[in-house]
Structure formats: structure tokens, C-alpha cells
Amino acid sequence: MNTEHQKEESRVGSTDKARPAVGRRPLAVFWDMDGTLIDSEPYWHQAEVDLAREHGGDWNADMGWQVSGKPLTKVARMMCDRGLDLPENQIPDLLIDGVIAMEECHMPWIEGVRAILTDLVKAGIPSILVTTSPRRMAQGVVAKAPEGAFADYVCGDDGLAQKPDPAPYLHAASLVGINSPDSMASCLAFEDTLTGITSAVASGATTVAYTGTNPVDTSSGPQFTSINSYRGVTLDNLSALIAKRLGRSGSLDLQTC
């Protein structure tokens, strides 16, 4: 279990004045996509390996894990450096096409996450997708999510500074009217890579590292806590994370690692 705490906040912003201090529900929940909402990293690695097989180059799934969470432009550059015989600017779209084709056949939702999304909708708590993947990929996931699951989404081709910069998470918060830095501690962010964790923590969000899909060790990261499963996670559990971050009473009963 990683319980290295981010800097504690002593108050929250005006967007939440009416809510009680103890048992506070999240103002919003931010979700990374690949490896956090859907177990799509194997799809990306397969698309990379298929491309290398067709056009030369030295690439395998282990290399894919090492670039997990990085912008596709960087992945393309690394693949070219390892001998892929394609124009660098064509590689991202070819990888995206390959992954989308696999997701159209089967969207690999991580077990338990759809139930959490549904509970958040019922509670009126907005979820925002925050991904480095392009908008056309995010749209496919949103379309197959529970009805009304996502209030909005932030993507890698939106013109913002990309993870590990906090800009994507700060922009996500602004989309649902959260603009005070003091309010970010009352928002949850789920991430699975050190790149994403760094981004979310820098935004001020209470960051949870999901470790159930990514074999790369994130235990040294700056996250508030880590969990290895969404099974059985309830809104009360999520509210307890916020209460604990704010230094107030709350029963933290998550399957942590």
C-alpha cells in the first residue's frame, strides 16, 4: 500500500460550501482512460508489434509498457529510432486505427469500473475523462460507457500541455466549474502510469494509482494511495478518501496495495 500523502488542504473552495465537512463526497472524479478505465494497453502493444512486423524495426510488448502513458508522437519517434520504416508522422494514426478496430470488436472495461461510473451518475457527481489519446478514441469509449457517465472529456489533441503537466486535469476541473486550487483536493483522479500520476498530483487532485493492469511499478509515485481492484468500491469509499486527504474522519476500506 502506498499512502504517501500529497500536501494536505485545510479548506475547500466556494463550489462546495453547502456540503458537510465530514463524509464529504467528491466534487468530481477524473479518469485516465487506457489502463485505468479500460484494459487497452495490450491493444496498443499489439498494434505496435503488428506495425513493426509489417514495416521492420525492433519492438515488443515490454517496450510498449515502457512508453505507456506517453504521447503518441514520442512513441512514434522511439519506434523510428528502433528501425521502423515509416514516416514518423504517419505512425500515430496507424496505431490509433489498429486499437480502434480492436475496441470496436470488444471494449475491455476493467471489472468494477462501470458500477462506479453508474453510482457517480446517480449521485450527481460528474466524471471527466482525461486522456492523452486523441478525441476520436475517447469518443468511442464515452459512447460505450453507462448513459450519462461522462460530463466531458479532455484529450491529447486538444492543444493543451500534455501529462505530466497538470494542464489536462486543471482544464478538466474547469469544465465542471471547479476553478479554485483549494477545491482540487476534493476531486479524485484515477491514473495508472507515473506520467499520469505526476500530472494529477501536480493539479492538486487527490490521486489514486490503479495498479490492476499495469505491471510497471508505480509504488514510488507521489499518489495519495494505490488500489489494485475496483471490485466492491462504493461512493462511501471514495468519500472516505476525500475526508482522509482533508485530515477529517473517514473509514478507508479499499482493496489497497
Side-chain angles (χ1 to χ4, degrees):
M1 176 176 176
N2 184 323
T3 55
E4 180 177 353
H5 286 231
Q6 302 166 30
K7 182 180 179 182
E8 289 193 350
E9 305 286 346
S10 60
R11 63 188 181 91
V12 296
S14 59
T15 58
D16 197 35
K17 286 182 178 178
R19 296 185 180 181
V22 176
R24 184 185 304 277
R25 291 182 170 185
L27 290 178
V29 181
F30 308 129
W31 299 89
D32 173 54
M33 189 169 76
D34 297 301
T36 307
L37 272 175
I38 57 175
D39 188 11
S40 56
E41 289 296 340
Y43 286 3
W44 284 103
H45 304 162
Q46 187 61 52
E48 292 160 4
V49 169
D50 288 347
L51 205 60
R53 185 180 297 118
E54 294 170 11
H55 299 280
D58 176 21
W59 197 263
N60 57 45
D62 288 340
M63 295 172 191
W65 281 116
Q66 295 305 312
V67 299
S68 180
K70 296 186 183 299
L72 286 177
T73 51
K74 291 187 177 180
V75 177
R77 188 174 308 118
M78 291 179 68
M79 292 189 76
C80 285
D81 288 345
R82 298 191 68 87
L84 188 66
D85 188 19
L86 279 172
E88 189 174 307
N89 62 354
Q90 292 182 14
I91 295 171
D93 280 338
L94 291 171
L95 293 175
I96 290 166
D97 289 343
V99 174
I100 286 177
M102 287 183 267
E103 290 180 349
E104 286 177 348
C105 293
H106 173 68
M107 187 63 70
W109 295 103
I110 294 172
E111 184 179 359
V113 77
R114 288 174 62 89
I116 298 173
L117 290 170
T118 298
D119 286 348
L120 291 170
V121 172
K122 291 177 180 177
I125 298 170
S127 287
I128 304 93
L129 188 63
V130 185
T131 178
T132 56
S133 295
R135 185 157 288 260
R136 65 188 177 107
M137 298 199 77
Q139 288 169 335
V141 173
V142 170
K144 294 190 176 185
E147 185 176 359
F150 292 101
D152 215 323
Y153 40 103
V154 178
C155 306
D157 51 0
D158 285 351
L160 300 167
Q162 295 192 351
K163 303 173 186 179
D165 193 281
Y169 280 100
L170 293 173
H171 183 62
S174 73
L175 292 174
V176 288
I178 300 170
N179 296 295
S180 167
D182 290 333
S183 296
M184 290 301 292
S186 294
C187 299
L188 286 174
F190 287 89
E191 276 281 0
D192 73 309
T193 67
L194 283 172
T195 299
I197 291 165
T198 301
S199 172
V201 169
S203 76
T206 297
T207 302
V208 181
Y210 179 73
T211 64
T213 57
N214 192 334
V216 177
D217 182 15
T218 58
S219 61
S220 64
Q223 63 266 19
F224 184 75
T225 193
S226 300
I227 64 171
N228 57 25
S229 175
Y230 296 123
R231 291 189 299 273
V233 174
T234 67
L235 181 54
D236 286 344
N237 297 144
L238 302 185
S239 299
L241 283 171
I242 299 299
K244 190 173 179 66
R245 170 82 189 280
L246 295 173
R248 303 187 174 103
S249 63
S251 176
L252 185 60
D253 186 21
L254 287 170
Q255 185 175 357
T256 57
C257 61

Coordinates of all heavy atoms in Angstrom, one line a residue, residues 41 86 201 203 230:
E41 N -4.2 -1.3 -22.8 CA -2.7 -1.3 -23.1 C -2.3 -2.5 -23.9 O -1.5 -2.3 -24.8 CB -1.9 -1.3 -21.8 CG -2.0 0.1 -21.1 CD -1.4 1.2 -21.8 OE1 -0.6 1.0 -22.8 OE2 -1.8 2.4 -21.6
L86 N 8.8 3.8 -41.5 CA 7.6 4.6 -41.9 C 7.9 6.0 -41.5 O 8.6 6.3 -40.6 CB 6.4 4.1 -41.1 CG 5.6 2.9 -41.6 CD1 4.6 2.5 -40.5 CD2 4.9 3.1 -42.9
V201 N -1.3 14.7 -9.6 CA -0.9 15.2 -8.3 C -0.5 16.7 -8.4 O -0.9 17.5 -7.5 CB 0.3 14.4 -7.8 CG1 1.0 15.1 -6.6 CG2 -0.1 13.0 -7.4
S203 N -1.8 18.8 -10.2 CA -3.0 19.6 -10.3 C -3.7 19.9 -9.0 O -4.5 20.8 -8.8 CB -4.1 18.9 -11.2 OG -4.7 17.9 -10.5
Y230 N -11.2 -2.4 -8.5 CA -12.4 -1.6 -8.3 C -13.6 -2.4 -7.8 O -14.6 -1.9 -7.5 CB -12.9 -1.0 -9.7 CG -11.9 0.0 -10.3 CD1 -11.5 -0.3 -11.6 CD2 -11.5 1.1 -9.6 CE1 -10.6 0.6 -12.2 CE2 -10.6 2.0 -10.2 CZ -10.2 1.8 -11.5 OH -9.3 2.6 -12.1

